[in-house]
Amino acid sequence: MADATIRCMAERARRGAPLTLEEIATTAVRLMDEAGVEGLSMRKLASELDVNPMSLYHHVENKEALLKLICATAAERMRVPPDDGSPWQEQLRELALAYHRNAKEHPALWGYLHTHPEVISHRGLPLWSALYRILRLAGVPEPEVRRTGDILHAFVSGFILAEINGHMPDDPEEIERNYDTAVHLIINGLAGF
Amino acid sequence: MADATIRCMAERARRGAPLTLEEIATTAVRLMDEAGVEGLSMRKLASELDVNPMSLYHHVENKEALLKLICATAAERMRVPPDDGSPWQEQLRELALAYHRNAKEHPALWGYLHTHPEVISHRGLPLWSALYRILRLAGVPEPEVRRTGDILHAFVSGFILAEINGHMPDDPEEIERNYDTAVHLIINGLAGF
DNA sequence: ACCTGAACACCGTTCAAGT
DNA sequence: ACCTGAACACCGTTCAAGT
């Protein structure tokens, strides 16, 4: 009896603890951070977790579902600056900066996310409520809020993707100036409404 | 002798004519149009051309080089509206529309291009010279032209990627309005310089 | 319930051989 | 010069079997 249980545990886990969805997700994120989307394979992930590749499928339907999962949690966990009562220009700038900072922490993940936007289209995300709030503050008429938000998000994501993909100068100071110009452009544009 | 040549030709080509780089490229584009980047594999491409997969490697170094090639030719062939003397706002609008139209013709290809921007960073491309010309016309000071151009391009590509990836409304009329708003935003923003 | 090995249908690419 | 088949090292995923 005792022998059987011991043998069972020894066999079912070449690892210390049983596999967790949480653990799978964080390891997947790490692999993506290290080597991009192309660096994440189910087999590599499994071997990183010291587990048979097929064990993963007990916790996740398939690779796409896994990617969706880690993108969704990243989007949900994104920290947006709170409403501190400052003028909308300032708040918009802060939100853009937060988004930028976030994306740079896990570039490959946000790259994937931006090219598979089902994940980010959930309107309850902190990102969207913050953006909509600021646009209303800026005086964008209610029926235009959502559209304008989509467009602004597309702009920012274009900027970030360009940066992630190396289509921007390398010098961080230069990037900072680019970012300033970009945000200024948007704010100027909005002010014209 | 004659027999040998005939047999040779028959064997070396299960197809009518010998393989061409041109032919490879256009078929690759078609496959991408039909099924996205993931729908293009060297093996599928070869079978589409009625050829052994390995024959491709005689014309192209590898898959990435092939993708680069078709993206580069697409970028070079892009038609940009000529300088017709109209105000810069109008010309910028037309350029954005041309870019948009172009991208929609081969969505997967432009999607890949935007996430692998080495291809489009060649400054001699018609796209860039047209954009720079219009920015100068708009009064952007010379040392800012290139930076502003990069940012505007990032914005437009973000918009287009969002559209390609379905993160925009489906109704074409709605998209048209989105596009108008986006271009207005940019023009307003530039006018504030 | 959770894990596994063998197997299947795909990849991109190398290499030695064919004409 | 151009093409090929067999082979290698990878994929994602199914399925039947193990505890």
Side-chain angles (χ1 to χ4, degrees):
Chain A
M1 283 289 188
D3 264 15
T5 2
I6 285 167
R7 196 158 54 82
C8 160
M9 288 177 63
E11 275 182 18
R12 93 138 52 129
R14 344 208 269 245
R15 340 171 322 106
L19 207 47
T20 308
L21 187 58
E22 175 83 16
E23 193 184 3
I24 293 176
T26 67
T27 310
V29 170
R30 181 167 57 76
L31 283 184
M32 266 183 112
D33 286 348
E34 285 168 8
V37 209
E38 330 217 307
L40 171 61
S41 81
M42 298 299 269
R43 293 177 117 110
K44 222 179 293 180
L45 176 55
S47 99
E48 202 80 5
L49 289 163
D50 214 352
V51 128
N52 184 290
M54 305 319 140
S55 306
L56 299 173
Y57 288 85
H58 231 266
H59 298 85
V60 128
E61 194 168 356
N62 52 31
K63 189 184 182 180
E64 211 190 317
L66 173 59
L67 281 166
K68 226 168 183 166
L69 172 72
I70 64 184
C71 285
T73 65
E76 272 155 27
R77 284 185 189 159
M78 176 185 166
R79 299 261 208 162
V80 306
D83 184 359
D84 61 353
S86 50
W88 67 266
Q89 290 91 339
E90 190 109 358
Q91 292 206 39
L92 190 58
R93 186 166 201 291
E94 284 309 316
L95 180 59
L97 272 173
Y99 197 80
H100 187 239
R101 218 177 305 124
N102 225 275
K104 293 284 283 189
E105 268 171 38
H106 305 289
L109 196 157
W110 285 87
Y112 182 88
L113 196 151
H114 277 131
T115 51
H116 295 73
E118 329 81 82
V119 184
I120 216 179
S121 64
H122 171 44
R123 300 291 157 175
L125 254 28
L127 163 67
W128 293 116
S129 26
L131 182 53
Y132 293 161
R133 176 179 59 72
I134 295 172
L135 290 182
R136 288 191 189 97
L137 195 60
V140 175
E142 191 57 35
E144 306 285 333
V145 166
R146 163 133 179 210
R147 233 224 342 257
T148 316
D150 280 352
I151 292 168
L152 255 50
H153 181 258
F155 283 0
V156 175
S157 79
F159 186 92
I160 289 172
L161 266 184
E163 196 183 335
I164 286 177
N165 293 317
H167 188 35
M168 285 283 173
D170 293 328
D171 179 19
E173 194 188 317
E174 192 76 16
I175 289 189
E176 187 74 15
R177 281 174 60 203
N178 271 12
Y179 206 77
D180 273 356
T181 311
V183 175
H184 265 113
L185 259 172
I186 289 179
I187 288 176
N188 270 345
L190 272 181
F193 263 89
Chain B
M1 283 290 187
D3 265 16
T5 2
I6 285 168
R7 197 160 53 83
C8 160
M9 288 177 64
E11 273 180 21
R12 91 139 53 127
R14 343 208 270 245
R15 341 170 322 105
L19 206 47
T20 307
L21 187 58
E22 174 83 17
E23 193 186 3
I24 293 176
T26 65
T27 310
V29 171
R30 181 166 57 76
L31 283 184
M32 267 183 112
D33 286 347
E34 285 169 7
V37 209
E38 330 217 307
L40 172 61
S41 81
M42 297 302 267
R43 294 178 116 107
K44 223 179 292 180
L45 176 55
S47 99
E48 201 80 6
L49 290 163
D50 213 352
V51 128
N52 185 290
M54 303 320 139
S55 305
L56 299 174
Y57 288 85
H58 232 265
H59 298 85
V60 130
E61 194 168 355
N62 52 30
K63 188 184 183 180
E64 211 189 317
L66 173 59
L67 281 166
K68 226 169 184 165
L69 173 73
I70 64 184
C71 285
T73 64
E76 272 155 26
R77 284 185 188 160
M78 177 184 165
R79 300 261 209 162
V80 304
D83 184 358
D84 61 353
S86 50
W88 66 266
Q89 290 91 338
E90 190 108 359
Q91 293 206 40
L92 189 59
R93 186 166 202 291
E94 284 309 316
L95 180 59
L97 272 173
Y99 197 80
H100 187 240
R101 219 176 305 123
N102 226 274
K104 293 285 282 189
E105 268 171 38
H106 305 289
L109 195 157
W110 285 87
Y112 182 87
L113 196 151
H114 277 132
T115 51
H116 296 73
E118 329 81 82
V119 185
I120 216 180
S121 62
H122 172 45
R123 299 291 157 176
L125 252 31
L127 165 64
W128 293 116
S129 27
L131 182 52
Y132 293 160
R133 176 178 59 72
I134 295 171
L135 290 182
R136 288 192 190 97
L137 196 60
V140 175
E142 191 58 33
E144 305 286 335
V145 165
R146 163 135 177 207
R147 231 223 345 256
T148 315
D150 281 351
I151 292 168
L152 254 51
H153 181 258
F155 283 0
V156 174
S157 80
F159 186 92
I160 289 172
L161 266 183
E163 197 184 335
I164 287 176
N165 293 316
H167 188 35
M168 284 282 172
D170 293 327
D171 179 19
E173 193 187 319
E174 192 76 16
I175 289 189
E176 186 73 17
R177 282 174 58 203
N178 271 13
Y179 205 78
D180 274 356
T181 312
V183 175
H184 264 112
L185 259 173
I186 289 180
I187 289 176
N188 271 344
L190 272 182
F193 263 87

